[in-house]
Amino acid sequence: MVLNNIDSQRFKDMVRVATHRMGKNAEFVNKLNVFPVPDGDTGTNMNLTMESGARAVNENNSSCVGDLTKSLAKGMLMGARGNSGVITSQLFRGFYKATENKKVLTAQDLSQAFSNGVATAYKAVMKPVEGTILTVARVAAEKGASKASETNDVIAVMKAIVSGAKEALKTTPDLLPVLKQVGVVDSGGQGLVFIYQGFLEGLMGKKVNDAFQLGENEMDELINVTHHQAESAQVQLSTGDIKNGYCTEIMVDLTASIADKKKFDLAEFRAYLSELGDSLLAVSDGDIAKVHIHTEYPAKIFAYGKQFGKLGKIKIDNMRIQHETIVENSKEQEESVDFAVIAVASGHGIRDIFKSEGVNRIISGGQTMNPSTQDIIDAINKSGASKAIILPNNGNIIMAAKQAAEVANIPVGIVPTKTISQGLTAMLAFDPEVSVEENVTAMSSELDTVVSGEVTKAIRDTTIDDIEVKEGDYLGIIDGKIKIDDPDIISASLRMIEKMLDDDSEIVTLMYGSDANATQAEKIADKLRASHEDLEIEIHDGGQPVYYFLVSVE
């Protein structure tokens, strides 16, 4: 089959099939991701980016390919998610810039569009790294350019681009040591291969319906990696490898009218943000600016962006918790149990304590990362149980748990635990030999027997319940209410615990988090023992984020 140009209908087919192929393989790509951090959403992000572009193309009835590539680029920029999603959007922004005046695309036009996309993407990345999606895109474009110098057949050029992408993908472990360490290819590069394969298939006449479904016999080619390797990739790396833990994204409407608006300069914008984290991508088409960055300071990113326009979409993902979830799920057995207890928690120590108390499955999450209803449904289904109990362990998660229980295929009960301490106490009353209803009643009755305390740090000045809170001070929170503000962590913790004690208190359990340590916990315990000789004090390494200490008094 020889084809001399790409018209608007053929281009739409290319986009549709590529979007389908990316979506079909998104979960596989997720499992490959270990660079720049061992998280698991590269495939999801690339899929969402492609879907946004495809919607924009489908809504454009122009017969001019240049108009469609403009819609594709704009749609992808608006919907770009994650590092790889933003880079992919830039590849097609450059593609559009090379084709904006073209009614149809010749073989040479197609080659130049891919080459221009590579140049645009490299410029968007402050510190380009070889062995990534950039390498795959570059080598693919080079192969396409070479073929376009020999033929006018657009299919032959697209085949060369796909072939070059596959060849480059195989080299990524040699260019990035972390990929070779875990035995996988680059996840973003693999995603791009799937997209380019879809372009080729669409160009050759393969169709999809509105649901992006291909024929039942269609099979995807998996490049240089087995499913077993993909399943194990992220668990071979440590959560501690994540230096900047919050994947933060903002979109700024630069056309919006705001007070004291600053003039936008992309170079200055990137330079400032580069000091706040890594994996930075900051791009703009003149109307909007899109930022992706891994940082410890999401609030500073938001505040800076607001100076140039109105913030649109914003997103924060706690990548440490994401990775903990991946690792935790890899350890869990898929064996069926008759009665499952599913708890929401974060922190290696807290998860271990829950499991020692009889919890079957842990959903990583908490104050800064609330699991969705679907996350809870998935945990119920994976437990293989005939009935289940959910411990939300956070007031913000109870509603999602109830919604999951309503649609679950098995009887599910919710014990309305609002803290980790309540969840652990509730487990003391769990009896796998009685019904869901009986367990909910018995476990819920235990919640009033424990007082829960949390020590965290204030992020801004405010006044709550007559407590004057100062930014940077440590807060003592008792059963959800701020009771202590103190600039010293030991003093704040001791003052909070003293308020939690009464004449019947017997046991204090102190769990220190990822930002505290055993020495501080022992210091608090020693001071408590000095003034309360009859108290039994237990110390555990909880490993939880956000809270320096979690305390229970019984």
Side-chain angles (χ1 to χ4, degrees):
M1 179 180 179
V2 176
L3 191 66
N4 289 326
N5 61 61
I6 301 172
D7 62 16
S8 60
Q9 187 56 54
R10 188 79 66 166
F11 185 75
K12 280 191 172 184
D13 290 341
M14 292 169 66
V15 173
R16 287 177 180 139
V17 179
T19 302
H20 163 79
R21 182 172 279 280
M22 185 63 249
K24 185 175 182 181
N25 292 285
E27 187 56 34
F28 175 73
V29 174
N30 281 343
K31 292 171 182 175
L32 295 176
N33 190 34
V34 294
F35 180 84
V37 293
D39 60 8
D41 59 1
T42 295
T44 300
N45 289 339
M46 293 183 76
N47 182 42
L48 291 171
T49 303
M50 282 299 298
E51 285 184 344
S52 181
R55 282 194 297 271
V57 170
N58 287 339
E59 292 168 0
N60 189 331
N61 296 319
S62 175
S63 61
C64 175
V65 174
D67 292 339
L68 299 183
T69 62
K70 181 177 182 179
S71 292
L72 178 65
K74 186 71 172 182
M76 291 180 74
L77 179 60
M78 296 294 288
R81 287 270 300 266
N83 195 315
S84 53
V86 176
I87 291 175
T88 304
S89 76
Q90 292 307 288
L91 287 171
F92 286 97
R93 175 168 168 75
F95 191 103
Y96 147 63
K97 286 295 186 181
T99 60
E100 58 182 324
N101 297 317
K102 307 289 184 179
K103 184 173 180 62
V104 298
L105 301 185
T106 65
Q108 290 70 37
D109 293 335
L110 184 65
S111 168
Q112 181 57 43
F114 278 106
S115 296
N116 200 54
V118 170
T120 302
Y122 267 87
K123 289 178 182 177
V125 180
M126 285 203 67
K127 298 178 181 179
V129 176
E130 296 301 333
T132 65
I133 185 175
L134 292 172
T135 301
V136 174
R138 177 176 54 77
V139 174
E142 289 170 355
K143 294 290 185 180
S146 177
K147 180 58 69 173
S149 67
E150 304 170 358
T151 180
N152 293 324
D153 181 7
V154 291
I155 292 179
V157 171
M158 195 67 229
K159 282 182 176 179
I161 288 168
V162 171
S163 177
K166 291 180 180 179
E167 290 177 16
L169 183 65
K170 292 177 183 178
T171 70
T172 56
D174 296 322
L175 298 171
L176 268 180
V178 67
L179 300 179
K180 179 164 282 190
Q181 176 186 339
V182 298
V184 295
V185 293
D186 179 66
S187 57
Q190 175 70 85
L192 192 64
V193 167
F194 286 134
I195 292 170
Y196 286 0
Q197 282 179 312
F199 266 47
L200 175 59
E201 290 166 343
L203 188 57
M204 295 179 68
K206 190 178 286 290
K207 303 285 186 179
V208 293
N209 60 23
D210 290 339
F212 296 108
Q213 296 298 314
L214 291 178
E216 292 182 2
N217 295 326
E218 197 275 335
M219 295 295 291
D220 288 315
E221 180 183 23
L222 302 179
I223 309 300
N224 196 35
V225 65
T226 67
H227 276 290
H228 174 73
Q229 287 172 306
E231 290 286 355
S232 64
Q234 289 138 7
V235 303
Q236 297 181 49
L237 300 176
S238 169
T239 303
D241 294 334
I242 301 175
K243 179 182 177 182
N244 290 297
Y246 297 95
C247 179
T248 304
E249 297 181 14
I250 62 172
M251 187 163 64
V252 186
D253 180 359
L254 301 175
T255 67
S257 178
I258 61 170
D260 301 319
K261 183 176 180 179
K262 288 190 175 181
K263 183 179 179 181
F264 181 79
D265 180 276
L266 184 57
E268 292 180 2
F269 192 70
R270 285 175 176 161
Y272 176 84
L273 292 175
S274 67
E275 300 297 321
L276 297 178
D278 55 32
S279 296
L280 170 65
L281 278 164
V283 298
S284 174
D285 66 355
D287 293 331
I288 66 168
K290 189 96 177 191
V291 174
H292 166 279
I293 187 171
H294 295 170
T295 183
E296 291 290 280
Y297 313 103
K300 290 184 179 180
I301 306 298
F302 298 156
Y304 184 65
K306 286 172 63 177
Q307 300 178 82
F308 303 97
K310 188 175 181 180
L311 293 187
K313 297 177 183 178
I314 63 173
K315 182 176 78 73
I316 308 175
D317 289 329
N318 187 322
M319 296 185 295
R320 295 185 180 99
I321 293 181
Q322 284 181 332
H323 187 247
E324 285 176 353
T325 300
I326 293 168
V327 174
E328 190 65 36
N329 288 343
S330 74
K331 297 176 182 177
E332 291 175 342
Q333 300 297 317
E334 298 301 324
E335 298 174 357
S336 295
V337 294
D338 180 54
F339 203 146
V341 181
I342 301 167
V344 180
S346 61
H348 58 86
I350 291 174
R351 293 197 302 269
D352 290 343
I353 295 171
F354 268 117
K355 288 195 170 184
S356 71
E357 294 291 336
V359 170
N360 305 96
R361 295 192 76 85
I362 306 291
I363 305 172
S364 284
Q367 188 63 31
T368 59
M369 186 178 177
N370 297 163
S372 67
T373 296
Q374 187 62 54
D375 292 332
I376 299 171
I377 292 172
D378 289 344
I380 294 170
N381 293 337
K382 288 178 180 178
S383 73
S386 59
K387 50 187 178 291
I389 292 287
I390 308 294
L391 302 176
N393 299 329
N394 187 293
N396 293 333
I397 302 172
I398 292 175
M399 183 63 71
K402 289 181 177 178
Q403 291 174 336
E406 290 175 2
V407 300
N409 295 322
I410 62 173
V412 176
I414 309 300
V415 179
T417 53
K418 295 182 179 180
T419 65
I420 293 296
S421 299
Q422 286 187 341
L424 292 171
T425 299
M427 281 304 297
L428 299 176
F430 174 66
D431 183 353
E433 301 301 322
V434 303
S435 70
V436 169
E437 293 77 13
E438 290 173 297
N439 267 302
V440 169
T441 299
M443 296 170 76
S444 297
S445 68
E446 293 291 317
L447 302 186
D448 292 336
T449 67
V450 61
V451 182
S452 303
E454 302 157 332
V455 178
T456 189
K457 184 178 283 190
I459 60 173
R460 59 179 172 272
D461 293 345
T462 188
T463 300
I464 301 178
D465 295 333
D466 296 326
I467 302 292
E468 187 176 341
V469 175
K470 296 180 180 179
E471 180 181 355
D473 279 2
Y474 295 93
L475 305 179
I477 304 171
I478 302 175
D479 287 335
K481 294 185 177 181
I482 297 175
K483 296 294 184 180
I484 301 295
D485 176 278
D486 197 302
D488 181 77
I489 188 172
I490 303 299
S491 175
S493 302
L494 284 168
R495 289 173 59 197
M496 179 189 75
I497 295 171
E498 289 289 352
K499 283 185 174 291
M500 297 168 66
L501 297 172
D502 62 26
D503 293 339
D504 297 324
S505 300
E506 297 178 350
I507 303 173
V508 174
T509 303
L510 189 63
M511 291 174 280
Y512 59 90
S514 58
D515 294 320
N517 55 60
T519 301
Q520 292 172 317
E522 289 289 355
K523 189 172 184 179
I524 293 168
D526 288 342
K527 289 182 178 292
L528 282 174
R529 292 188 185 102
S531 54
H532 301 279
E533 295 180 357
D534 296 333
L535 274 182
E536 180 181 340
I537 302 174
E538 297 181 1
I539 297 176
H540 298 282
D541 177 5
Q544 71 274 4
V546 182
Y547 297 109
Y548 293 83
F549 296 102
L550 295 177
V551 181
S552 66
V553 174
E554 301 172 76

